Amino acid sequence: MTESLPVARPVDHGFAKLMPDVDRERAWLLTVDGAPQSYVDLDDPAHLEFEYARRLGHVLDIVAEEGRPLDVLHLGGGALTLPRYVAVTRPGSRQDVVEADRGLLELVLEHLPWPEGSGIAVHAADARAWLENAPADTVDVLVADVFGGSRVPAHLTSVAYAGEVDRVLRGDGVYLANLADAVPFAFLRSQLATFATRFAELALIAEPGVLRGRRFGNAVLVASHRPVDLPALARLTASDAFPARVEHGAGLRDFVAGASPVRDEDAVPSPEPPAGAFGIG
């Protein structure tokens, strides 16, 4: 067996590294400027290594009956972990992936190619600009996992952005976003308030320690016009190695109380993670 060697080179928005996992023969970790971006196992695309990715995967599993193909739009590509997951768990799905870093896409395509016929189309473009030009009512699930460095860009946090999300989603569509924050949760609360202006159903998935303010961490926002299967989602997230909690209803309204929706002119990126929060060197 030939030993896999790390790959490192500049991309458009930083310095990328692909590092092989010594425990899994064809698995790779992608970092950009030292921050973990994606983990992909080419032999087992359904394997989701990162905790937040598993939580996004759990929602993708429960938004429709098992195996049903979906039309999915991914804002943020990385190494295409979730598009690969959907391609094998929901064969026949049509997926568009929008990634601003063309150099990163070229690196991933060169070293971690996805199978032909997977239904994945990749676009090198700004997420908001691409979304604004996307046709209305064409997407079952929209997944936003966009980070400039380690921060969610400001132009993907506003009411206007939420309106574009709502326009592109079908009536029973679901929006998922990977966000990051810490106490006092000004960013997270503002995002919930922002999406509450367009969507009746909101939920938040996060580790209890993050929600209690013990550490900086990821939280997954779920927004839709129709209820999703929260009991099933809660069972899945509670069974993970690092269990998470699904907040919704009155508890989530109390969490958001007093927060204001974000206008484009007031939008700011998510907070800078503390040193060592996500980096691996």
Side-chain angles (χ1 to χ4, degrees):
M1 182 180 69
T2 303
E3 181 182 1
S4 297
L5 298 176
V7 178
R9 73 187 191 206
V11 291
D12 295 0
H13 299 151
F15 191 82
K17 293 182 181 179
L18 281 173
M19 292 175 282
D21 186 336
V22 297
D23 296 320
R24 300 175 75 96
E25 185 177 337
R26 297 181 69 226
W28 297 81
L29 172 68
L30 168 68
T31 68
V32 177
D33 293 336
Q37 297 289 327
S38 302
Y39 180 102
V40 169
D41 187 333
L42 296 177
D43 289 331
D44 184 10
H47 174 74
L48 300 177
E49 181 76 10
F50 293 169
E51 296 160 29
Y52 84 84
R54 285 197 298 276
R55 291 163 194 157
L56 291 167
H58 292 328
V59 185
L60 288 163
D61 288 345
I62 61 95
V63 293
E65 56 269 24
E66 183 177 352
R68 180 188 133 195
L70 296 173
D71 292 331
V72 186
L73 171 59
H74 302 264
L75 302 181
L80 279 67
T81 302
L82 284 169
R84 298 172 201 260
Y85 178 84
V86 171
V88 297
T89 59
R90 295 183 176 276
S93 293
R94 179 186 62 83
Q95 301 187 81
D96 287 295
V97 182
V98 182
E99 168 59 58
D101 194 320
R102 184 181 297 273
L104 182 61
L105 285 176
E106 291 171 352
L107 173 69
V108 171
L109 178 59
E110 179 182 345
H111 293 278
L112 307 177
W114 48 97
E116 288 189 21
S118 60
I120 298 171
V122 176
H123 314 271
D126 174 79
R128 173 88 176 254
W130 201 92
L131 184 66
E132 288 173 347
N133 288 289
D137 302 316
T138 54
V139 173
D140 297 312
V141 183
L142 197 163
V143 182
D145 187 13
V146 184
F147 282 78
S150 297
R151 306 177 73 182
V152 177
H155 68 307
L156 303 181
T157 68
S158 68
V159 169
Y161 165 71
E164 291 298 324
V165 169
D166 188 16
R167 182 184 65 82
V168 168
L169 282 173
R170 295 188 171 115
D172 61 349
V174 179
Y175 175 73
L176 312 178
N178 177 32
L179 307 173
D181 202 0
V183 71
F185 301 116
F187 176 74
L188 200 52
R189 293 171 64 246
S190 77
Q191 288 307 284
L192 287 158
T194 296
F195 276 84
T197 65
R198 303 297 303 224
F199 294 93
E201 303 289 338
L202 297 177
L204 191 69
I205 310 168
E207 282 186 46
V210 172
L211 292 175
R212 291 176 187 143
R214 292 177 182 167
R215 65 178 182 85
F216 189 96
N218 292 91
V220 170
L221 167 64
V222 184
S224 60
H225 291 299
R226 49 96 176 178
V228 298
D229 191 345
L230 293 176
L233 184 59
R235 287 193 296 272
L236 289 169
T237 59
S239 67
D240 279 336
F242 294 93
R245 199 166 73 213
V246 179
E247 290 286 352
H248 61 96
L252 196 60
R253 288 191 292 273
D254 289 344
F255 178 76
V256 180
S260 298
V262 178
R263 302 180 301 169
D264 269 335
E265 54 267 38
D266 302 324
V268 296
S270 62
E272 187 76 44
F278 297 135
I280 60 171

